[in-house]
Amino acid sequence: MLIGIPSCLGPQLLFNLRAMGHGDELAIVDGNYPGQTDARGPGGLVRADGIGMIELLDAILKIMPLDDAVPHGAMMATVGGDGQTLDPVHHAMQQIVVKRSPGTEVLPMKGPEFYARVKSVHTLIASSEPRLYANIILRKGVIRPE
């Protein structure tokens, strides 16, 4: 255990978060996502068994800044991949992003575009989230000097 670090963030995930640089992306995917198949980046696949999307997203955004130098530091899948339809889990993800990174908008994406982008992320995190389409990509930002 560490002071100030959420306990759901395991050592492999913490290592990858620290190893990522500005502009690197990670994906948090639901329990149905083919994570082993799509994890191709240097961080590979990190399993977060027993942890849901919202808990994991909140924990990561407590310690990792989102990129504010691009229009969207976060992107999410949509229901049926249409680029518009959202479920309650998407609204919950948006709330966490706004809470932890005020001013950041989450870009809803069409399925093919979203899933193609997941294949290029630094680290793919497989959660145990049971809700469908509960997938998000986060782009790492910077911590500016005081």
Side-chain angles (χ1 to χ4, degrees), residues 58-143:
D58 189 48
I60 290 169
L61 292 181
K62 280 181 182 178
I63 64 170
M64 186 187 89
L66 290 179
D67 194 347
D68 60 4
V70 295
H72 300 284
M75 297 132 279
M76 67 182 166
T78 53
V79 176
D82 67 6
Q84 297 176 8
T85 306
L86 304 179
D87 267 351
V89 70
H90 297 110
H91 298 293
M93 290 189 301
Q94 288 174 318
Q95 288 175 341
I96 295 295
V97 170
V98 168
K99 174 179 140 186
R100 295 289 176 201
S101 186
T104 300
E105 291 184 29
V106 182
L107 176 68
M109 296 180 72
K110 292 183 177 182
E113 297 161 354
F114 182 86
Y115 298 115
R117 190 162 183 157
V118 168
K119 292 176 183 178
S120 68
V121 300
H122 181 282
T123 301
L124 195 152
I125 306 161
S127 76
S128 288
E129 179 60 54
R131 294 175 285 187
L132 302 178
Y133 305 106
N135 307 307
I136 193 166
I137 297 170
L138 305 174
R139 183 179 169 101
K140 188 174 183 183
V142 298
I143 299 173

Side-chain angles (χ1 to χ4, degrees), residues 7-10 13 29-31 45-52 55-56 125-129:
S7 62
C8 68
L9 302 179
L13 179 51
V29 298
D30 64 42
L45 176 68
V46 175
R47 298 202 54 88
D49 296 323
I51 305 168
E55 179 184 4
L56 200 52
I125 306 161
S127 76
S128 288
E129 179 60 54

